[in-house]
Amino acid sequence: MPRNLTYALTIAGFDGSAGAGYLADVKTMAHFGVYGQAVCTALTIQNESEFLDPGWIPVKTIEAQLQTLFKKHEFHFVKIGLIQNAQALKRVVDFVREKVQDAFIIWDPIASATAGFNFLDGEEREKFLDIMKKIDLVTPNFDEFRFLGLESAVKCGKISLGKDFAVLLKGGHTQDVEAVDTLFAKDGQSYRFASPRIPGAGKHGTGCNLSSAILANVALGKTLPEACKTAKNYMSEFIVSGEGRLGFIWP
């Protein structure tokens, strides 16, 4: 018997390996029973081990893709991944807010590739801080947290984590015994999600898969802490799945 679909939108780069970017996002959303649609921000040249070029898509082309998809669907759940700069991020966020004012927006800020390619410009920190106040959840790792100036902005009182926007600070790249993610939620509470660190996992696209798993579970009606916990458990399974640097959880 036909069932109503729950839709979500990912605005991210194309990764031909399907380990990261919008291909990974759509796969993860489908795992949870959410129908993901996608807008391409970059035609990257990469595989799961090597990154050669971002292949940025012009902002006007990104907006044209958005316009076309929003003609058919009113997306209330949106994830943004790889994006060229603060201007592009602002135009994407503003577009979504104009179409669906109360849309739940996640931004997974990708500052650099493991292969050493840098994406975001650190000189635009202030612009990013202003844009993030229009976003519901930002999911940086510790390096991205510092790169975006969030650490210094908190210390000097420019922002309050969980008040201006929610932050999931990921601990997967630390060297601690446990991999601990900390959610600073908009209800003023902080939540800690821990899992045993798995030596030598090294999966490609973990940030993309985590953020899209969170979005899918929010779309299905879970609270943000519940969605983060479910996504964390999913990632524990993901990083021991598949082959080499590619994770894949069989249905």
Side-chain angles (χ1 to χ4, degrees):
M1 185 174 180
R3 55 183 288 188
N4 292 330
L5 295 177
T6 299
Y7 290 92
L9 178 66
T10 172
I11 304 167
F14 168 78
D15 168 14
S17 77
Y22 68 73
L23 291 178
D25 293 339
V26 169
K27 286 192 299 180
T28 298
M29 292 174 189
H31 173 86
F32 290 101
V34 172
Y35 193 102
Q37 297 196 353
V39 164
C40 183
T41 60
L43 287 169
T44 72
I45 301 173
Q46 67 173 305
N47 55 39
E48 65 268 30
S49 303
E50 184 180 23
F51 190 99
L52 300 179
D53 191 83
W56 297 118
I57 299 292
V59 177
K60 64 179 182 180
T61 305
I62 295 172
E63 289 178 327
Q65 294 175 75
L66 285 166
Q67 189 70 50
T68 303
L69 288 178
F70 271 88
K71 283 181 180 178
K72 288 293 292 182
H73 302 285
E74 192 176 77
F75 294 97
H76 289 265
F77 307 98
V78 178
K79 177 221 159 159
I80 303 169
L82 184 63
I83 199 85
Q84 184 173 8
N85 51 37
Q87 179 197 23
L89 180 64
K90 182 179 186 303
R91 286 173 64 170
V92 166
V93 171
D94 287 347
F95 182 99
V96 173
R97 287 280 174 235
E98 287 170 9
K99 293 293 184 180
V100 183
Q101 187 175 5
D102 64 347
F104 186 90
I105 302 175
I106 294 178
W107 180 36
D108 179 32
I110 305 170
S112 63
T114 305
F117 196 97
N118 294 321
F119 301 118
L120 302 178
D121 184 353
E123 297 300 316
E124 295 190 306
R125 288 185 179 92
E126 291 297 326
K127 294 179 182 178
F128 284 122
L129 283 177
D130 289 338
I131 300 165
M132 282 187 274
K133 293 176 183 178
K134 301 178 182 180
I135 294 172
D136 295 284
L137 175 66
V138 182
T139 61
N141 59 34
F142 280 97
D143 289 339
E144 291 158 348
F145 188 79
R146 297 187 185 101
F147 179 87
L148 290 170
L150 292 172
E151 185 175 45
S152 58
V154 170
K155 286 180 179 178
C156 69
K158 287 185 178 181
I159 61 168
S160 173
L161 297 185
K163 181 179 179 182
D164 292 298
F165 46 88
V167 172
L168 181 69
L169 181 56
K170 299 177 293 189
H173 290 85
T174 65
Q175 300 303 312
D176 299 331
V177 175
E178 289 186 311
V180 179
D181 297 349
T182 304
L183 172 65
F184 300 92
K186 284 190 174 182
D187 61 5
Q189 301 293 314
S190 61
Y191 302 83
R192 187 176 181 272
F193 309 103
S195 62
R197 184 170 301 283
I198 301 171
K203 289 301 185 192
H204 174 53
T206 51
C208 299
N209 286 276
L210 176 67
S211 54
S212 53
I214 294 170
L215 186 71
N217 281 278
V218 171
L220 293 172
K222 291 187 177 182
T223 66
L224 183 54
E226 290 171 341
C228 289
K229 182 178 181 180
T230 300
K232 178 74 168 177
N233 293 337
Y234 170 78
M235 292 307 299
S236 293
E237 185 178 355
F238 175 85
I239 61 178
V240 296
S241 69
E243 298 179 350
R245 298 202 69 212
L246 295 176
F248 185 75
I249 300 176
W250 294 92

